[in-house]
Amino acid sequence: MKITEQLTSAVTKTGDFMTLASQDVSGMLSLLNDLLGPVPRPDAPSKLEQRASAAGMIDVIRLWQRQDDAPAATEEEIRQFFTEEELTRFSNETGLSATATLSMLQTLLPRCVRRRALHEPFTRCS
């Protein structure tokens, strides 16, 4: 990694920390729910399931739907599930760096998928 890339990365991480951007999940959840579509109904496949199927991740989604404390998604899973344009949109709309955006999505996506399966609104865990 070049010195300029290291400096940019350090400044970005400092900015994310100083603004506590990674603590505010409301904007991220709004956009996430928008992309995932309406909460699933038993009689129709959801936008979430269609997206997961197209990405070859239906088994992963089913696991997240069943588990209360599903492990965080991997970076690869996030990049497989969302397009680069969507990841950029998350970053732009939340004000987070690309790194912080990936990190938050890795944590929030499995939890959000679980809540949707239970038809419960997402509330932030303590």
Side-chain angles (χ1 to χ4, degrees):
M1 185 182 285
K2 297 179 185 175
I3 190 73
T4 55
E5 291 172 350
Q6 289 175 336
L7 182 59
T8 300
S9 177
V11 169
T12 299
K13 287 178 185 175
T14 301
D16 287 337
F17 174 77
M18 295 298 286
T19 62
L20 297 175
S22 62
Q23 302 299 314
D24 181 13
V25 297
S26 60
M28 178 76 70
L29 282 173
S30 294
L31 183 54
L32 184 57
N33 279 312
D34 183 49
L35 289 173
L36 297 181
V39 173
R41 295 186 332 256
D43 61 337
S46 68
K47 191 174 178 181
L48 164 68
E49 291 168 328
Q50 292 169 352
R51 177 186 284 262
S53 184
M57 293 181 59
I58 198 70
D59 290 339
V60 174
I61 296 302
R62 294 286 185 244
L63 177 69
W64 292 342
Q65 288 172 329
R66 288 189 308 268
Q67 282 189 303
D68 279 331
D69 289 324
T74 65
E75 181 177 335
E76 180 183 329
E77 288 169 334
I78 296 299
R79 292 190 180 281
Q80 189 174 342
F81 196 75
F82 297 106
T83 66
E84 281 302 315
E85 292 79 21
E86 289 168 335
L87 293 174
T88 299
R89 182 176 167 200
F90 274 114
S91 187
N92 290 341
E93 290 192 23
T94 61
L96 293 169
S97 67
T99 303
T101 297
L102 277 171
S103 178
M104 284 186 74
L105 283 172
Q106 286 176 264
T107 301
L108 291 177
L109 181 61
R111 285 197 248 160
C112 192
V113 167
R114 172 67 173 159
R115 291 286 187 175
R116 291 166 144 274
L118 297 173
H119 299 280
E120 296 177 1
F122 187 96
T123 54
R124 194 162 171 219
C125 296
S126 307

